[in-house]
C-alpha cells in the first residue's frame, strides 16, 4: 500500500527562495498516493508560478480568502476539513509568526486555525532570523501546541551564510511525514473485522437483508492496514473494493459470517463487529422460486440468528472485542446496555435517525464507549473516524 493512499494533503507554500522545491514535494506526495492541493501566499508567487504548482498537483491553486468565486468552489473551512495533513514548506519567519498569533487575514492563516489535520512546518529562512529569540519563541510555542517541525537543516544558505535555516530536502520531508503518519502502532496485531449486510435466502432469488453499505467496516480495515495491523475482513455483499493488503473473506449469510469469523479468531488480537448482521433467517429455504400466483399471502417462518459478536466475546476472552450499535433513540443508553449484555470491551454507537451520518454516506459521528469512559468523535469522514477508533483501541490495550 502506498504511504499516502487516500490521504488528502495541503501544501502551503510561503515566500522564500526554497519555494522552487515545492513542485518536487508535490510530485513525491502524489507518487505515494496522495491527493494534493496547494495554498500559496502572495509572496510565494514571486518565487514560483501558480501555474507550475497547478500543473504538478493537478488541482487549481488556492490563494485567496476573500475571493467569492474561490470560496464558493472550495472555501477555507471546507479545505480545512478536507485535509488529513497540512505541510507548510517553505515556512518563512513571517508565516511562523502569523500562525503563532492565530492571525487569519489570509487563506493560510485561516486554514491553520480552522483545521483538525496534522500540521507540519518546514522552516526556511536566514540563520539569524531563525536563531532570533522571537522566532525561537514562536517555534517553541507551536511545538508545544502539537505542530510538528521538520528542520530547518544546517548548511550554506542562499544569502551565503552558513548555519541553520535551510529547508530540509523534499525527499526527506516526505519520508519523515510518511513515517510519522504511518507509525505502525498496530504492527504485530491481527484484527478481524465484519462489514456490510448479510443475506438470508428465502428462495433462489429472494432474501432478507439489512441496510448497510459496508463503508464504516471497510474504512476501519483500511485504517488498520495503514497503522500496520494484519487485517481479516469478513464482508457481506457490498459494492466496495478492499485494499489488496486486506485478507478478505466474502460471505452471504450470517451463518457463513460466523463460520468465517471463527476461523480467524484463534489468531486475532482484536475483533470489530461492524456488520449489520440479519437478526433472523428463514427456517426453511425453498430451493425453487416461490410463485406469486400460488397464494395471496405468504407466511415465512423466521428463526433467530446466532449473535456473532456475543459468541466471540464469550469464547475469545483474550481478544479485545468491539461492537457497533446503530440506534434511533436513547442512543448512548441502548449502546451501554449492549456493551454489558454482550460482554464487550468497547461499543461504538451512532444515531442512524440522522440520515446525514450512518448508512451509505461517507461521514459518521459516533460515541466510543467503554466501561470507564465515553469519547465523542465529532462528525468526520469515515476513514478519519476509523483511524481515531483504532487509536483509542490501541491506547486501551496498552
Ligand atoms: O444486537 P444488535 O444487532 O443491535 O448489535 C449490533 C452489534 O452486534 C454489531 O456490532 C453487529 O455487528 C453485531 N451482531 C452480530 N451478530 C448478530 C447481530 C449483531 O455480530 N447476529
Amino acid at each position: 500500500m502506498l504511504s499516502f493512499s487516500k490521504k488528502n494533503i495541503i501544501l502551503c507554500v510561503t515566500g522564500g527562495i526554497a519555494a522552487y522545491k515545492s513542485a518536487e514535494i508535490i510530485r513525491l506526495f502524489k507518487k505515494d498516493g496522495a491527493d494534493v492541493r496547494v495554498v500559496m501566499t502572495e509572496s510565494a508567487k514571486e518565487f514560483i508560478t501558480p501555474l507550475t504548482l497547478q500543473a504538478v498537483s493537478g488541482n487549481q491553486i488556492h490563494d485567496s480568502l476573500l475571493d467569492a468565486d474561490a470560496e464558493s468552489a472550495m472555501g477555507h473551512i471546507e479545505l480545512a476539513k478536507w485535509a488529513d495533513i497540512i505541510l507548510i514548506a517553505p515556512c518563512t519567519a513571517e508565516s511562523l509568526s502569523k500562525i503563532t498569533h492565530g492571525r487569519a487575514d489570509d487563506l493560510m492563516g485561516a486554514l491553520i486555525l480552522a483545521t483538525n489535520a496534522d500540521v507540519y512546518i518546514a522552516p526556511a529562512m536566514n540563520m539569524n532570523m531563525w536563531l532570533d529569540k522571537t522566532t525561537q519563541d514562536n517555534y517553541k510555542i507551536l511545538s508545544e501546541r502539537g505542530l510538528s517541525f521538520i528542520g530547518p537543516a544546517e548548511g550554506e544558505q542562499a544569502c551565503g551564510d552558513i548555519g541553520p535555516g535551510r529547508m530540509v530536502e523534499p525527499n526527506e520531508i516526505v519520508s519523515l511525514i510518511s513515517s510519522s503518519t504511518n507509525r505502525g502502532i498496530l504492527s504485530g496485531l491481527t484484527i478481524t473485522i465484519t462489514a456490510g449486510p448479510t443475506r438470508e435466502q428465502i428462495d433462489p432469488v429472494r432474501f432478507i437483508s439489512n441496510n448497510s453499505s459496508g463503508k464504516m467496516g471497510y474504512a476501519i480495515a483500511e485504517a488498520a492496514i495503514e497503522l500496520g495491523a494484519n487485517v481479516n475482513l469478513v464482508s457481506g455483499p457490498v459494492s466496495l473494493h478492499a485494499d489488496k493488503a486486506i485478507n478478505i473473506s466474502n460471505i452471504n449469510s450470517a451463518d457463513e459470517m460466523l463460520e468465517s469469523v471463527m476461523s480467524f479468531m484463534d489468531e486475532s488480537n482484536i475483533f470489530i463487529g461492524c456488520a449489520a448482521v440479519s437478526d433472523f433467517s428463514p427456517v426453511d429455504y425453498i430451493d425453487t422460486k416461490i410463485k406469486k400466483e400460488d397464494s395471496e399471502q405468504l407466511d415465512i417462518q423466521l428463526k433467530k440468528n446466532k449473535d456473532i459478536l456475543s459468541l466471540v466475546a464469550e469464547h475469545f476472552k483474550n481478544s479485545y472485542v468491539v461492537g457497533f450499535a446503530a440506534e434511533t433513540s436513547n442512543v448512548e443508553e441502548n449502546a451501554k446496555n449492549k456493551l454489558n449484555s454482550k460482554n464487550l470491551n468497547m461499543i461504538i454507537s451512532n444515531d442512524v435517525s440522522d440520515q446525514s451520518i450512518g448508512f451509505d454516506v461517507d461521514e459518521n459521528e459516533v460515541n466510543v464507549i467503554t466501561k470507564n469512559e465515553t469519547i465523542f468523535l465529532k462528525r468526520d469522514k469515515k476513514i478519519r473516524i476509523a483511524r481515531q477508533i483504532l487509536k483509542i483501541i490501541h491506547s486501551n490495550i496498552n
Side-chain angles (χ1 to χ4, degrees):
M1 186 173 183
L2 297 169
S3 305
F4 296 112
S5 77
K6 301 242 162 92
K7 286 264 165 51
N8 294 337
I9 302 183
I10 294 179
L11 174 65
C12 296
V13 184
T14 73
I17 183 70
Y20 78 92
K21 295 184 179 175
S22 50
E24 177 64 0
I25 298 178
I26 297 167
R27 193 186 69 77
L28 292 169
F29 276 143
K30 288 195 56 147
K31 192 169 140 247
D32 252 350
D35 191 357
V36 184
R37 289 183 174 270
V38 180
V39 168
M40 295 183 87
T41 61
E42 278 312 303
S43 56
K45 295 180 194 168
E46 303 290 334
F47 294 93
I48 187 161
T49 70
L51 195 59
T52 306
L53 300 189
Q54 178 176 311
V56 190
S57 68
N59 283 315
Q60 193 84 38
I61 297 303
H62 302 267
D63 58 1
S64 174
L65 181 61
L66 301 175
D67 175 337
D69 286 345
E71 280 284 296
S72 66
M74 197 180 205
H76 64 286
I77 300 295
E78 246 176 305
L79 261 182
K81 285 188 182 157
W82 177 85
D84 297 305
I85 295 168
I86 298 181
L87 166 67
I88 311 174
C91 184
T92 59
E94 163 60 14
S95 296
L96 210 58
S97 164
K98 167 174 283 197
I99 297 162
T100 311
H101 292 96
R103 278 175 31 222
D105 59 351
D106 71 359
L107 181 57
M108 184 191 70
L111 187 64
I112 301 299
L113 280 186
T115 197
N116 287 329
D118 294 334
V119 178
Y120 294 85
I121 297 176
M125 65 195 75
N126 166 269
M127 60 175 279
N128 292 325
M129 292 172 81
W130 171 252
L131 292 172
D132 185 87
K133 173 120 184 37
T134 313
T135 308
Q136 287 300 303
D137 284 350
N138 292 341
Y139 163 56
K140 201 161 160 264
I141 290 169
L142 291 176
S143 301
E144 280 167 8
R145 283 184 201 154
L147 286 77
S148 306
F149 278 78
I150 301 175
E154 297 218 12
E156 190 171 346
Q157 303 206 274
C159 53
D161 286 349
I162 296 177
R166 280 173 63 91
M167 189 173 86
V168 171
E169 289 303 323
N171 57 356
E172 209 176 319
I173 291 179
V174 172
S175 91
L176 280 166
I177 295 177
S178 163
S179 50
S180 100
T181 48
N182 301 298
R183 248 174 250 125
I185 53 169
L186 299 179
S187 65
L189 297 178
T190 297
I191 308 188
T192 296
I193 300 162
T194 64
T198 63
R199 282 183 183 173
E200 314 303 325
Q201 291 298 141
I202 299 167
D203 69 12
V205 294
R206 302 185 183 90
F207 54 81
I208 299 170
S209 191
N210 271 350
N211 206 354
S212 170
S213 64
K215 284 181 177 171
M216 194 64 229
Y218 274 63
I220 294 177
E222 258 169 41
I225 290 283
E226 266 178 32
L227 296 173
N230 303 316
V231 179
N232 304 311
L233 177 63
V234 183
S235 174
V238 294
S239 51
L240 297 173
H241 170 76
D243 187 280
K244 62 177 187 303
I246 296 169
N247 176 32
I248 185 127
S249 162
N250 290 303
I251 53 82
N252 273 304
S253 67
D255 276 351
E256 287 166 11
M257 182 172 272
L258 175 63
E259 196 187 329
S260 177
V261 165
M262 288 305 173
S263 75
F264 293 127
M265 279 317 297
D266 274 336
E267 311 295 326
S268 299
N269 309 92
I270 300 168
F271 174 73
I272 305 177
C274 200
V277 185
S278 296
D279 291 319
F280 295 94
S281 55
V283 172
D284 296 311
Y285 171 69
I286 297 157
D287 58 11
T288 51
K289 187 179 171 188
I290 302 168
K291 294 279 171 217
K292 65 179 176 205
E293 295 78 15
D294 289 353
S295 53
E296 277 308 302
Q297 191 176 317
L298 181 65
D299 293 323
I300 300 170
Q301 281 249 316
L302 299 175
K303 64 176 189 316
K304 205 164 187 177
N305 283 333
K306 289 186 181 136
D307 192 307
I308 303 167
L309 191 57
S310 301
L311 285 170
V312 169
E314 189 186 330
H315 292 287
F316 296 92
K317 296 217 171 359
N318 290 332
S319 298
Y320 195 88
V321 181
V322 181
F324 270 74
E327 302 289 343
T328 52
S329 60
N330 297 335
V331 177
E332 208 177 321
E333 195 188 321
N334 287 336
K336 279 185 178 156
N337 290 339
K338 230 163 258 183
L339 178 78
N340 294 326
S341 65
K342 299 198 186 203
N343 223 345
L344 309 176
N345 299 99
M346 174 184 283
I347 192 139
I348 294 152
S349 72
N350 63 332
D351 183 350
V352 287
S353 66
D354 179 348
Q355 290 180 358
S356 63
I357 51 174
F359 296 138
D360 205 20
V361 289
D362 293 322
E363 293 195 331
N364 208 347
E365 179 171 281
V366 301
N367 279 309
V368 178
I369 305 170
T370 60
K371 290 202 172 69
N372 307 323
E373 60 180 351
T374 296
I375 301 173
F376 173 64
L377 301 182
K378 73 174 191 305
R379 190 190 180 119
D380 209 334
K381 280 190 247 160
K382 284 183 172 168
I383 184 73
R384 289 212 273 203
I385 295 278
R387 289 182 192 126
Q388 293 185 70
I389 291 171
L390 289 170
K391 284 178 186 168
I392 299 171
I393 294 176
H394 171 254
S395 66
N396 286 358
I397 58 178
N398 278 284

